[in-house]
Amino acid sequence: MTRSRIALFPGSFDPITVGHESVIRRALPMFDKIIVGVGVNSEKSAMLPSEKRVELIKKVFADEPKVEVVTYSGLTVDFCKANNISFILRGLRTSADFEFERSIGHANQLLDKNIETIFMLTLPEHTCISSSIVRDIAKNKGDISAFLPKAIGREDF
């Protein structure tokens, strides 16, 4: 059986940042399709409802037919198996990200040896950007425009 060249880029995307957008756009040449998977975790309280996060991501990638946006819950590996996804794409900002993501990647490999995790470094200028930092700035009425993709703005929240 031929492996699909479909990657899942999973995350909470609460909200999507310029770092997320950059990783996805830079990874597009490697895959036939990238599915941005908005993970639904009932134990986490999100700033934006999952439907709004999906809407914003679709707006960011409206120009890119190879990007699909979905919500999912449960194990990422199970979602991949059910959707013929062979790769999990993850962005790395710091060495702490690497250690965390490596552990998850190894666990996923134990769950399904046919699903590979691909790590992509963020651009240096995006290293300090995380959704949690953007949420904190937004909650305190700060200007988050430099952290968001150009397709979306404060008015989208």
Side-chain angles (χ1 to χ4, degrees):
M1 181 169 130
T2 307
R3 288 182 68 162
S4 70
R5 288 193 28 176
I6 302 171
L8 174 69
F9 188 55
S12 61
F13 306 103
D14 187 31
I16 185 168
T17 69
V18 290
H20 295 128
E21 179 187 22
S22 171
V23 167
I24 294 166
R25 290 197 186 276
R26 290 172 31 237
L28 277 169
M30 293 183 256
F31 301 104
D32 296 327
K33 179 181 357 177
I34 295 177
I35 298 172
V36 180
V38 177
V40 178
N41 183 344
S42 59
E43 295 181 18
K44 270 186 158 180
S45 63
M47 179 177 80
L48 300 170
S50 59
E51 300 80 19
K52 184 65 174 180
R53 289 180 266 156
V54 167
E55 175 190 319
L56 292 176
I57 298 166
K58 285 181 176 180
K59 188 174 179 180
V60 171
F61 293 100
D63 64 330
E64 186 45 70
K66 288 173 51 174
V67 173
E68 182 181 326
V69 187
V70 300
T71 58
Y72 78 99
S73 60
L75 293 175
T76 299
V77 167
D78 290 343
F79 180 81
C80 289
K81 284 193 271 191
N83 291 280
N84 193 33
I85 297 168
S86 299
F87 302 95
I88 297 171
L89 176 65
R90 299 299 294 154
L92 298 177
R93 293 173 298 136
T94 65
S95 59
D97 281 356
F98 173 73
E99 291 301 328
F100 178 74
E101 295 294 345
R102 178 175 61 169
S103 295
I104 293 172
H106 282 157
N108 286 338
Q109 192 122 66
L110 289 171
L111 292 169
D112 190 320
K113 64 180 175 36
N114 296 312
I115 298 172
E116 291 290 342
T117 299
I118 307 295
F119 297 125
M120 192 163 205
L121 298 177
T122 59
L123 295 177
E125 60 268 28
H126 298 149
T127 301
C128 67
I129 300 171
S130 69
S131 292
S132 57
I133 289 171
V134 175
R135 284 193 307 272
D136 191 47
I137 295 168
K139 283 178 195 170
N140 289 289
K141 310 282 190 252
D143 181 6
I144 57 174
S145 58
F147 305 98
L148 300 174
K150 294 209 183 315
I152 59 175
R154 186 71 169 116
E155 66 281 356
D156 288 305
F157 290 84

